[in-house]
Amino acid sequence: MKRTTISLMALLLGFANVSIAQDTNSGTNDFSKWQFRLRGIVVAPDESASIEAIGGDVSISTAFVPEFDITYFFTENWSAELILGTAKHDVEAIETTAGNIDLGHVWLLPPTLTAQYHFTGGNFVPYLGAGPNLTLFYGVDEGPAADDVDYDTAIGFALQGGFDFMLNDKWFLNLDVKKLFLGTDATVNATTALGATVVADVDINPWIIGFGVGLKL
């Protein structure tokens, strides 16, 4: 995954450098360099897990939260976007040898940086993006069965597609879809209930679908 991330980012940055060079040579700089969006998003995990000792799988709830992003345009077509948001998810181990186990909830903070290409030429502006993600887990509530649950900080990768629809020179509407490839190791201390500590390899891999409004400066 790390090699794939580095290769794709190098390819995107290479294209960006070519575009910047072309833009510099042509002397065209008449575009808004900063763009801000506020979206309402659905975070829908496509989850699975490999759980030691007790087997089973994992169920992670869908979340509905706001998301804010900041985009800087190097050229009219190429940009980098920093995506910021946080979401709370309920977690349950299901179909284990000990039955279904309520593991409470956890908050995810997944800042993501994508390189984007924008297809300009009218009020309808589609774009594609890809880039790395760092996800932090915090605010853990271990639920009634576990003594403690620990989630490892994770590095992931995001693919992105969407479009902006310009209402005027500054304001626009936005529809955005991201697929985040994300996994973590979870350590469940269930000494009281099961007399054991259980480790799980959890793939979260959420779809993130958002709609919102943006501003160009």
Side-chain angles (χ1 to χ4, degrees):
M1 177 60 74
K2 289 184 179 178
R3 288 184 178 179
T4 302
T5 300
I6 293 170
S7 298
L8 287 172
M9 288 302 295
L11 181 62
L12 287 167
L13 291 174
F15 282 134
N17 287 334
V18 171
S19 296
I20 292 169
Q22 291 175 343
D23 185 68
T24 301
N25 292 335
S26 65
T28 302
N29 292 300
D30 186 20
F31 60 91
S32 299
K33 292 193 174 183
W34 290 99
Q35 180 172 287
F36 304 89
R37 297 189 189 96
L38 181 63
R39 303 184 185 106
I41 62 171
V42 177
V43 184
D46 183 15
E47 72 272 39
S48 64
S50 175
I51 305 175
E52 294 183 358
I54 61 174
D57 207 339
V58 67
S59 175
I60 304 174
S61 66
T62 297
F64 303 88
V65 295
E67 178 189 87
F68 179 70
D69 71 66
I70 303 169
T71 305
Y72 180 80
F73 283 79
F74 301 99
T75 74
E76 189 175 8
N77 298 103
W78 285 97
S79 70
E81 179 181 271
L82 178 62
I83 303 160
L84 301 170
T86 187
K88 174 185 172 183
H89 297 273
D90 296 327
V91 183
E92 184 179 19
I94 59 174
E95 301 174 357
T96 77
T97 56
N100 293 347
I101 303 171
D102 182 358
L103 296 177
H105 65 253
V106 60
W107 286 85
L108 275 64
L109 178 64
T112 304
L113 181 65
T114 59
Q116 297 177 329
Y117 184 82
H118 300 255
F119 300 86
T120 56
N123 291 333
F124 179 71
V125 186
Y127 59 85
L128 296 173
N133 157 268
L134 174 69
T135 296
L136 306 173
F137 298 84
Y138 71 99
V140 178
D141 178 344
E142 64 276 0
D147 300 307
D148 185 52
V149 181
D150 180 69
Y151 299 89
D152 289 350
T153 297
I155 296 175
F157 186 77
L159 296 176
Q160 179 184 36
F163 67 84
D164 297 323
F165 183 79
M166 303 304 301
L167 301 175
N168 53 45
D169 290 342
K170 290 186 176 295
W171 292 95
F172 59 91
L173 299 177
N174 172 257
L175 177 66
D176 183 88
V177 178
K178 289 184 285 292
K179 177 64 173 180
L180 182 57
F181 298 93
L182 173 67
T184 184
D185 290 330
T187 302
V188 181
N189 182 345
T191 303
T192 300
L194 302 176
T197 295
V198 178
V199 177
D201 181 4
V202 183
D203 291 325
I204 305 172
N205 298 337
W207 285 96
I208 304 172
I209 303 169
F211 179 77
V213 64
L215 172 66
K216 285 181 175 288
L217 296 177

